[in-house]
Amino acid sequence: LHAMCTETAKKMGTAALTVIFDLQNFPRYWSLNLDGGLRSDERLIDIVKHVATFANLESSEIYLFGDYEGGEFVQAFALNHPEKIARAAFIATKLISPDPNKMFPVGIGYTPYDPEMNINIVDFIKTDILYLMEQVIRDQQRRKILNTTVDDYKKVYGDLGITPRFVIQPLRASTTSTGSFYGEEIREAIEKYFFQEYREE
């Protein structure tokens, strides 16, 4: 996936970054590390600015992908910085709820770790984001919560009467003896969403 992104980035005259948060400084990077001192979302913004300055690139918007904990980070980042997302895609076994009565990162409500956080769910669902939803989740309670959260988003769409750009696409699992394998399906989905559809616009 990184090789595909790197090759396409060269053709587009931009840069592809693989960002790895060290767990010593960012033990909960997926939820922006709000209680850990250094915020992971702010660090990513700083890295992008640094690379853009060094390479003389435009950095007002980025394409962002992550899976599992990285996928949770992508959603948390996009909720807090939708204006910085050109397109984003992520895989995760749980979603941040659109419920403002649930504290972030469970929902989008008030958190004492950042009292000034103000998430606008409309801005988020009007941002180009693809959620690749894993189908094989052995924890039934987690599966139930995920399905309920997906339904909550659909209810928000209906209540607001808008067409969402936050798209939920179930993955078709290729089951093996060791579990599920999505590699080729993910690569094809990202290539289409990030690059083929981008070129068609």
Side-chain angles (χ1 to χ4, degrees), residues 3 13 44 67 96 174:
L44 176 61
D67 59 1
I96 296 172
S174 299

Side-chain angles (χ1 to χ4, degrees), residues 31-116:
S31 59
L32 307 188
N33 209 46
L34 294 180
D35 58 344
L38 298 172
R39 284 189 51 156
S40 52
D41 57 336
E42 294 174 354
R43 179 54 57 92
L44 176 61
I45 291 170
D46 288 343
I47 291 171
V48 170
K49 286 181 179 178
H50 175 78
V51 172
T53 300
F54 179 80
N56 193 27
L57 297 171
E58 171 59 46
S59 64
S60 59
E61 292 184 329
I62 61 174
Y63 287 77
L64 189 62
F65 172 77
D67 59 1
Y68 302 101
E69 285 88 355
E72 293 174 33
F73 169 77
V74 168
Q75 189 188 11
F77 184 93
L79 279 163
N80 283 274
H81 308 281
E83 76 286 351
K84 294 190 179 299
I85 298 295
R87 282 196 171 183
F90 67 98
I91 305 166
T93 56
K94 60 183 178 180
L95 277 173
I96 296 172
S97 169
D99 189 345
N101 296 311
K102 295 179 179 178
M103 188 175 78
F104 183 88
V106 175
I108 61 170
Y110 171 87
T111 171
Y113 297 113
D114 185 357
E116 296 183 2

